[in-house]
Amino acid sequence: MAPRKKTPAGATPATKTADGGATAGEAGVIGERDRVTLQKITDLAFNALAEVRRGKNPALSIPVRALSNVSFDQEAGLIRLGESRQSRNFFHLKQAKLFMQTFLIAEHCKKLIEAGATTSIRDIYYGAKHSVAGTKENTFEEQAESDPIIEDLEVTIDALREELHLRAENRGAMVGPMTIRDTGDTIDLRRMGSGGWSIPSIVEDNRIEFMKTEAEYILFIEKGAVWARLNEDRFWQKNNCMLLHGSGMAARGTRRLLRRMHEELKLPVYVLTDNDPWGFYIYSVIKQGSINLAYESMRMAVPQARFLGLMSSDAERFNLQPNVSMALKDEDSARIEQLMRYDWFAAKRWQEELALMKKTQKKYELEALSSRGIRFITEEYIPQKLRGRRGDSWLD
Amino acid sequence: MTTEALIQEPEAPKQGRRASAEAMGAKQRDISVSEFFTKNRHLLGFDNPAKALLTTIKEAVDNALDACEEAGILPTLDVTVEEVSDGRYRVRVEDNGPGIVKEQIPKIFAKLLYGSKFHRLRQSRGQQGIGISAAGMYGHLTTGRPVVVVSKIGKGRPAWRVEVRIDSRTNEPKQLNDKNDTVTWDKDHGTSVEIELMGLYRGGRTSVDAYLEQTVVANPHLELSYKPPKGPLVHFPRVSELLPPEAQEIKPHPHGVELGMLIKILHESGRKHVGQTLMEEFSRVTEAVANELCKRAGIDPNAVGSRVDAAKIEALHAAMVASNAALPPIKKFASKVARSDTNLREEVLEEGTGFSPTLADLVIRRAGLEPTLKAKLVTPMMVEKFYAALHESQVKILPPPANCIVPVGEALVMEGLRRRFKGEFFTSHTRPPAVYRGNPFVVEAGVAFGGTLSKDDSADVLRFANRVPLLYQPRACAIHEAVLKVDWKSYGLQQRKGELPVGPLAIFVHLASVWVPFTSEAKEAVAHYDEVVREIRLALMECGRKLGAWVKAQQAERWETQRKSLFEKYIVELAASIHSITKVSEESVKADFHNALPNHVRIAVAPVEGSAPAALEGAAEGAAEGAEAPTEEATSAGDSSPPPPPLRGAGRPSEMPPELSDDGDGNPFEDVTPGNKRQLVLKMRPKSGRK
């Protein structure tokens, strides 16, 4: 069951599967979970109206999604959202438009829920985009404007993205010895060809069900190219593992799927990324959650995930030649400094790895391992890492 | 011998002198002033053809205005400039003045240094009695044509026509036509002068047009018709039916008298007593004051003036100017002295005002101290003694009477500026009378801002002396210097160091005095007397402050209007969303938001239309003195405009935490309370008030 920060009354996990979901077939029938979400949106609007009727400046109280308002829960291994909230007022030069946009998104989400439809966040951007009455100005100029508003709405009314009937584009892929049911269709993840099963944005149990698996662990790979190499070698078959990639930073769907498989199927998660601060951070997001989505850490993070590399110390360990390295750029160095200050990178081994990267001024892509041979990664690197000791071969 | 031959002997002086004293004496004779000025016409403003044309018109207009005002007649002037042939112009200036008696006409228009204004200390445009005759002389010199004057002194009287030219050798007028020539003239009284001269008509800062436009600014009671050589007739209607009060003739004030002048006055006083002479020759000297002054100087008031010795006259002079001296607060002075590396005299000259070295020494000695005493050694006790000595040396003399100076007046300066510039904001300030070299003067300044004035150019500086525009030599003028000395940046304008401010600004400065200190007889620039520069600067600063406040208020209003329209824009969208979510009618939601809007935006009350300019200024002043409610003029004058809505929720809404208010990036209205907001707005010119 998906853990929630706060479980709103009426939306208990038990009722979720039964009520939730917004498949086309259920259109017009509003379930309990949707009813709660609708009520939250309506309350938000009535509150603003009540304030303004008293001559006051209507305000939305939005939890702050920034480093200043997250804390690292050492015990749970999670990044948690703090208590501070910021006020978004309508009668404010710089907030008026944001305030209006928030209600525009809320209005569209309400319509989606009532229609029992789900759209992508790109759809809602187009749906809510129009010119502001009497001007040439648009309600939203680009999707980059509406995306954070959606997140604001999620945290403000404490509703999940799927509860707002929104999804992102599919991102990332999975193959492996497992059968799943995806919105009614049974899919054998062993027979996905070279592209794999594309991971959707919403992977809740009402849509994705895990049927049968022989997998013993999950290997998450940052890059699609390296994942393709492993898939070509049928690495998952030989090693009995689920093989995922996130096309870079893992999207919500991918993270939620990792979490569910880890939790429901009791599979350990291993992460393989480039050796650079960005790769390190992708790992940390899978493991502890992100600053921006700290309110969803609890249902997305896999605190037991392990980092297989590349580590800076792997260069020596696997005898990588200097000519396969890349020089750090200024932005890389700055990012290293930032990571070194994050509480969830405070562990000694991580500080050592970051310090080493800083000292050598070198980074390595996963593909650098191919310099040791085409199958080096599948036949030597990963098996050796999986067998090795904590702190040496892999990091927490 | 050879060497001797090489060395040329200096030529031996010729026997006898080149010219004998007798021969030289025969050549020595009076130089007629008119001969002198024929050779030095640049001194009078006839250096080049363009300037000659302007000077001619200027002198004729000045004379006409002076005559009208002296006679108590509201001036109506007709100026015609016509190009007779290439480079040859005929200038005619006609007034409705009192006219000139037949016998005086030739002398006034064709005798240099003849006039009524030189011998008295009284504010007037002309001073020496040179101008118009010089213009006539220039005209005759370049075209051979005489000055043609028509003048009539009353209804039923003949309109005499006089053709006259100056004999430049004897400085005597020569009438060319029959002495009894008359013309028929429909005017009851007035004078018309016609001069033909070689000149050049052109535009620009120093043009005839600019001069006349500016004359109109400084003379709101003047009605002027001007027919330029090219283009249609321009008519400036009268804006003020009030003739400026008649300027009173006065004597010099003791504060500004120079030692040489005092010596001259006493030496020429014959057998009169010193006290008597002081009372007769100076303004504000009563018997008591005269006795006090004599006492300070150690002179018996009954001593014969012409026999007082030089040292005593110097003491008397010191006593006269002493009461104009001032020092900073004693503690400030003491601490400044204690930190100084110079001596006591230097410090007194540096820190005090109105001190001459002689006066400083005198007072220091009177305190039992030495002027050269090292400043560091001066104890607080000594400073006290020095202050006491100054106090004892001072005789209280009233400032010069203000009735001798006739400023244009704050309201009329603004009216004049309005007649000339299509600005958005006008203000003016008249300083109290002050004194330089014993001559009282008044400075007034005004500014016009915004509207159609050019934003990218330097400020337009209009300089006036006794209501006469000064067009030439701006950089040599004390007015220009004073404008540069003002820090216009602090009033929201751009200004580079040592340059004029840049912006849609016109600056008006008028110096009115019984004797304007011009740098030359061409009367082109005001001389740099400290007192004069200081007064101009203070007047400008006052205008600047008012302008700065207005600019700031405008900015705030623009900001608020921007805010308001931003909110209004989004209310439409927001109401649609909230309606869709809540099913509350869209119109009702909109109304709710619009009702709350005024609580969160401080838009100023719209300026009241149609109030008279004078009332407007009064209202502004009333408000500036802290009136809270709109003044009567403001509320009653505009019956068509609705009463200003009450400004509710003045401050930022209290429920809003301060850190969430509009960011501090230049939001200028934090300190604008509704009260002073209204004041600032009231100073705005009504948009369609005057016709």
Side-chain angles (χ1 to χ4, degrees):
Chain A
M1 286 298 93
R4 301 274 309 275
K5 267 185 302 164
K6 275 181 249 169
T7 310
T12 59
T15 59
K16 200 166 143 188
T17 318
D19 300 331
T23 50
E26 287 174 308
V29 184
I30 294 174
E32 177 62 16
R33 191 177 167 192
D34 284 341
R35 214 182 50 74
V36 170
T37 311
L38 285 178
Q39 189 59 48
K40 286 176 182 172
I41 292 174
T42 319
D43 287 350
L44 197 69
F46 271 116
N47 284 344
L49 206 51
E51 293 245 301
V52 89
R53 278 176 180 162
R54 280 185 290 135
K56 295 201 168 170
N57 196 348
L60 295 171
S61 175
I62 304 171
V64 176
R65 289 174 294 122
L67 183 60
S68 63
N69 192 36
V70 296
S71 56
F72 181 53
D73 182 340
Q74 203 83 44
E75 218 160 287
L78 294 175
I79 294 171
R80 290 186 193 276
L81 193 65
E83 289 301 307
S84 47
R85 299 171 89 87
Q86 67 185 29
S87 198
R88 174 171 296 167
N89 291 82
F90 178 66
F91 293 115
H92 186 293
L93 209 53
K94 291 185 176 161
Q95 297 172 2
K97 187 168 189 182
L98 295 172
F99 189 93
M100 178 274 284
Q101 288 173 331
T102 313
F103 275 96
L104 198 55
I105 293 292
E107 177 198 348
H108 278 262
C109 289
K110 185 175 178 253
K111 284 179 179 165
L112 283 177
I113 297 168
E114 283 168 347
T118 302
T119 65
S120 74
I121 52 175
R122 187 149 187 84
D123 271 332
I124 202 166
Y125 156 64
Y126 279 114
K129 179 175 185 163
H130 56 258
S131 54
V132 175
T135 68
K136 285 181 180 166
E137 184 186 337
N138 287 318
T139 48
F140 292 100
E141 294 300 340
E142 50 191 347
Q143 198 188 333
E145 248 182 278
S146 64
D147 286 356
I149 296 280
I150 294 167
E151 287 168 359
D152 288 345
L153 185 65
E154 287 172 43
V155 288
T156 304
I157 64 172
D158 190 22
L160 297 174
R161 178 167 290 188
E162 49 274 19
E163 288 173 340
L164 294 173
H165 286 216
L166 295 176
R167 58 176 154 76
E169 309 255 323
N170 286 11
R171 191 155 149 195
M174 176 160 80
V175 287
M178 176 153 63
T179 306
I180 58 165
R181 194 186 287 275
D182 180 350
T183 51
D185 300 336
T186 305
I187 296 171
D188 184 354
L189 295 181
R190 296 169 194 85
R191 299 160 163 273
M192 299 308 299
S194 61
W197 175 65
S198 152
I199 303 170
S201 148
I202 300 178
V203 294
E204 293 309 315
D205 49 10
N206 58 327
R207 292 179 173 237
I208 309 292
E209 283 175 74
F210 304 134
M211 307 285 286
K212 208 175 84 185
T213 182
E214 290 100 49
E216 287 163 15
Y217 66 91
I218 303 163
L219 180 61
F220 173 86
I221 295 164
E222 174 185 350
K223 287 165 135 174
V226 178
W227 176 91
R229 178 84 275 286
L230 267 66
N231 187 23
E232 196 179 271
D233 279 4
R234 311 282 285 181
F235 179 86
W236 50 270
Q237 198 168 38
K238 292 170 196 161
N239 292 277
N240 242 355
C241 69
M242 299 305 297
L243 202 56
L244 282 83
H245 78 84
S247 292
M249 173 60 81
R252 283 194 205 203
T254 311
R255 289 173 56 199
R256 177 66 185 145
L257 190 66
L258 280 172
R259 167 73 183 223
R260 279 194 60 208
M261 289 197 288
H262 171 74
E263 205 171 46
E264 296 169 27
L265 305 173
K266 312 291 179 218
L267 298 177
V269 173
Y270 297 98
V271 177
L272 195 59
T273 73
D274 283 346
N275 173 253
D276 60 32
W278 318 98
F280 286 12
Y281 191 69
I282 288 172
Y283 164 70
S284 85
V285 167
I286 289 171
K287 188 178 172 74
Q288 290 112 351
S290 69
I291 296 167
N292 197 35
L293 298 179
Y295 58 97
E296 299 227 79
S297 293
M298 273 200 251
R299 50 189 294 275
M300 290 198 182
V302 183
Q304 288 78 28
R306 291 173 179 184
F307 183 65
L308 289 193
L310 286 179
M311 300 176 213
S312 292
S313 53
D314 284 339
E316 202 188 318
R317 196 172 288 124
F318 292 96
N319 196 17
L320 296 179
Q321 295 305 306
N323 56 8
V324 300
S325 71
M326 293 162 81
L328 287 188
K329 292 179 180 158
D330 287 351
E331 64 223 40
D332 296 326
S333 301
R335 188 65 180 149
I336 292 171
E337 296 297 328
Q338 277 179 336
L339 294 193
M340 288 179 94
R341 283 194 299 270
Y342 287 155
D343 288 344
W344 49 99
F345 278 100
K348 185 166 162 258
R349 276 298 286 129
W350 279 109
Q351 292 288 319
E352 281 169 9
E353 285 296 324
L354 288 163
L356 185 59
M357 193 188 294
K358 199 167 111 182
K359 189 180 154 221
T360 58
Q361 288 289 305
K362 281 177 185 150
K363 58 180 181 182
Y364 298 87
E365 291 191 284
L366 277 171
E367 287 92 331
L369 294 170
S370 302
S371 67
R372 297 287 315 275
I374 294 174
R375 301 213 152 77
F376 180 76
I377 186 167
T378 54
E379 287 169 10
E380 298 208 26
Y381 182 85
I382 297 174
Q384 196 178 323
K385 282 269 174 176
L386 288 170
R387 280 196 307 273
R389 281 189 334 188
R390 170 169 179 253
D392 249 351
S393 285
W394 51 270
L395 297 181
D396 245 342
Chain B
M1 275 314 280
T2 39
T3 47
E4 273 182 24
L6 286 171
I7 299 161
Q8 193 115 49
E9 283 274 314
E11 205 177 319
K14 278 184 186 163
Q15 288 301 307
R17 296 178 185 175
R18 291 178 192 169
S20 68
E22 287 80 5
M24 284 166 76
K27 286 182 191 165
Q28 289 161 348
R29 62 175 177 84
D30 275 344
I31 302 165
S32 127
V33 274
S34 39
E35 266 185 318
F36 175 80
F37 282 123
T38 307
K39 284 187 175 167
N40 298 288
R41 58 195 192 202
H42 58 278
L43 292 177
L44 291 167
F46 294 90
D47 347 15
N48 59 58
K51 206 164 165 184
L53 179 64
L54 173 68
T55 305
T56 303
I57 293 166
K58 186 165 144 46
E59 295 298 346
V61 168
D62 287 356
N63 275 2
L65 287 173
D66 274 345
C68 288
E69 279 166 27
E70 198 173 339
I73 299 163
L74 277 170
T76 302
L77 263 59
D78 287 299
V79 177
T80 313
V81 181
E82 144 188 34
E83 188 166 12
V84 193
S85 61
D86 198 25
R88 187 166 172 148
Y89 291 85
R90 187 183 297 135
V91 170
R92 205 170 70 85
V93 175
E94 185 181 319
D95 65 47
N96 60 340
I100 303 164
V101 292
K102 185 187 166 191
E103 294 72 32
Q104 293 294 343
I105 294 172
K107 285 184 180 170
I108 284 175
F109 291 96
K111 184 174 168 70
L112 294 172
L113 294 173
Y114 186 88
S116 57
K117 299 165 192 171
F118 188 77
H119 300 276
R120 60 186 188 184
L121 220 43
R122 187 187 135 160
Q123 180 189 346
S124 61
R125 292 177 179 79
Q127 283 179 342
Q128 294 92 340
I130 298 177
I132 192 66
S133 308
M137 193 171 75
Y138 175 85
H140 183 251
L141 219 61
T142 53
T143 67
R145 299 295 292 266
V147 179
V148 180
V149 181
V150 175
S151 193
K152 183 173 168 182
I153 59 170
K155 209 168 182 173
R157 307 292 291 269
W160 299 109
R161 186 172 178 285
V162 176
E163 285 179 29
V164 69
R165 73 168 179 84
I166 194 164
D167 181 333
S168 65
R169 221 163 38 74
T170 58
N171 186 23
E172 285 300 327
K174 207 166 174 184
Q175 187 165 353
L176 304 177
N177 62 338
D178 189 296
K179 285 204 163 56
N180 291 318
D181 253 8
T182 57
V183 290
T184 47
W185 214 21
D186 52 3
K187 265 198 171 116
D188 284 352
H189 50 79
T191 304
S192 144
V193 194
E194 195 177 291
I195 296 173
E196 211 169 303
L197 71 157
M198 294 305 285
L200 177 64
Y201 175 82
R202 62 176 183 203
R205 180 175 59 83
T206 56
S207 65
V208 173
D209 301 25
Y211 163 75
L212 289 172
E213 277 169 9
Q214 293 188 23
T215 302
V216 162
V217 173
N219 297 276
H221 60 292
L222 161 67
E223 181 183 351
L224 175 75
S225 296
Y226 166 49
K227 174 72 186 74
K230 291 163 196 150
L233 184 102
V234 191
H235 184 244
F236 297 94
R238 218 186 299 284
V239 267
S240 165
E241 294 295 327
L242 277 175
L243 202 66
E246 196 180 357
Q248 299 298 306
E249 213 175 314
I250 65 140
K251 298 166 196 157
H253 190 274
H255 277 174
V257 72
E258 280 168 348
L259 181 59
M261 189 176 160
L262 183 64
I263 292 170
K264 180 169 166 275
I265 287 171
L266 287 176
H267 277 192
E268 288 173 0
S269 66
R271 303 190 57 79
K272 276 186 202 158
H273 295 166
V274 178
Q276 178 86 23
T277 309
L278 290 177
M279 282 158 64
E280 282 174 11
E281 297 293 332
F282 292 97
S283 71
R284 299 298 201 197
V285 177
T286 59
E287 191 173 353
V289 170
N291 287 341
E292 272 300 306
L293 289 171
C294 290
K295 201 175 120 196
R296 305 292 153 101
I299 303 172
D300 176 3
N302 294 322
V304 172
S306 50
R307 291 197 196 144
V308 177
D309 65 52
K312 289 229 166 112
I313 296 179
E314 204 175 330
L316 179 62
H317 177 252
M320 289 168 78
V321 297
S323 61
N324 196 29
L327 288 164
I330 188 158
K331 275 189 184 153
K332 189 181 163 204
F333 182 74
S335 74
K336 174 77 184 22
V337 167
R339 282 181 282 115
S340 162
D341 286 329
T342 57
N343 60 32
L344 183 55
R345 177 204 282 142
E346 293 299 319
E347 280 308 307
V348 171
L349 293 176
E350 172 86 21
E351 296 296 306
T353 54
F355 279 97
S356 64
T358 321
L359 179 63
D361 287 3
L362 192 102
V363 180
I364 292 169
R365 291 219 167 84
R366 218 166 256 172
L369 303 166
E370 266 305 307
T372 52
L373 182 64
K374 272 201 166 27
K376 278 201 186 95
L377 301 176
V378 175
T379 62
M381 182 94 90
M382 292 175 177
V383 174
E384 263 177 49
K385 269 190 183 164
F386 171 71
Y387 271 62
L390 175 67
H391 190 74
E392 264 168 46
S393 322
Q394 288 180 319
V395 179
K396 184 120 186 81
I397 307 171
L398 288 172
N403 63 354
C404 60
I405 314 279
V406 186
V408 178
E410 292 182 353
L412 288 177
V413 167
M414 278 158 73
E415 274 314 297
L417 285 170
R418 281 191 185 121
R419 190 146 68 143
R420 170 75 180 76
F421 300 103
K422 302 255 174 296
E424 289 167 78
F425 174 80
F426 298 88
T427 188
S428 63
H429 181 69
T430 301
R431 294 280 308 159
V435 177
Y436 83 91
R437 270 177 50 191
N439 298 311
F441 69 97
V442 168
V443 166
E444 49 194 343
V447 297
F449 184 83
T452 57
L453 281 118
S454 165
K455 283 185 180 62
D456 307 320
D457 291 343
S458 294
D460 199 353
V461 181
L462 313 183
R463 300 173 292 135
F464 298 89
N466 285 346
R467 294 172 185 254
V468 177
L470 308 178
L471 301 183
Y472 285 95
Q473 297 197 19
R475 281 170 204 290
C477 186
I479 292 174
H480 189 83
E481 183 196 328
V483 173
L484 297 186
K485 273 189 173 176
V486 172
D487 178 14
W488 294 94
K489 275 191 282 198
S490 59
Y491 310 129
L493 290 155
Q494 294 176 318
Q495 183 185 24
R496 282 213 226 137
K497 206 173 160 61
E499 288 183 21
L500 289 173
V502 173
L505 178 72
I507 299 168
F508 167 102
V509 177
H510 178 216
L511 174 69
S513 177
V514 291
W515 194 264
V516 176
F518 287 113
T519 52
S520 78
E521 288 316 313
K523 298 197 275 185
E524 291 170 341
V526 175
H528 297 244
Y529 283 93
D530 285 351
E531 299 90 332
V532 174
V533 174
R534 181 173 166 272
E535 284 294 315
I536 298 170
R537 210 174 135 250
L538 289 174
L540 286 172
M541 282 163 68
E542 183 59 31
C543 292
R545 272 190 289 275
K546 291 182 198 164
L547 172 65
W550 183 84
V551 168
K552 209 176 152 190
Q554 281 288 302
Q555 216 166 31
E557 191 178 296
R558 258 202 310 278
W559 264 81
E560 284 295 84
T561 311
Q562 228 177 339
R563 259 167 66 96
K564 183 166 175 268
S565 62
L566 178 105
F567 296 149
E568 282 169 345
K569 180 171 73 181
Y570 294 141
I571 282 175
V572 181
E573 292 295 327
L574 187 58
S577 292
I578 290 182
H579 155 70
S580 167
I581 296 170
T582 60
K583 306 297 175 216
V584 173
S585 100
E586 200 168 330
E587 285 313 308
S588 142
V589 176
K590 261 191 223 170
D592 288 338
F593 272 89
H594 278 288
N595 288 342
L597 184 59
N599 297 356
H600 306 282
V601 179
R602 270 153 285 153
I603 294 290
V605 183
V608 177
E609 303 275 329
S611 51
L616 186 81
E617 201 199 13
E621 237 122 76
E625 280 156 28
E628 286 192 355
T631 51
E632 286 221 355
E633 292 92 328
T635 43
S636 62
D639 46 337
S640 56
S641 56
L647 284 158
R648 289 184 290 150
R652 207 146 274 290
S654 53
E655 72 270 21
M656 208 164 138
E659 71 269 20
L660 292 165
S661 61
D662 279 4
D663 314 32
D665 51 358
N667 175 3
F669 8 93
E670 285 312 318
D671 47 11
V672 179
T673 66
N676 58 30
K677 179 95 194 174
R678 193 187 308 266
Q679 292 164 20
L680 296 165
V681 169
L682 282 170
K683 286 183 185 174
M684 284 172 54
R685 171 158 165 66
K687 287 196 177 75
S688 61
R690 271 187 48 252
K691 298 283 141 12

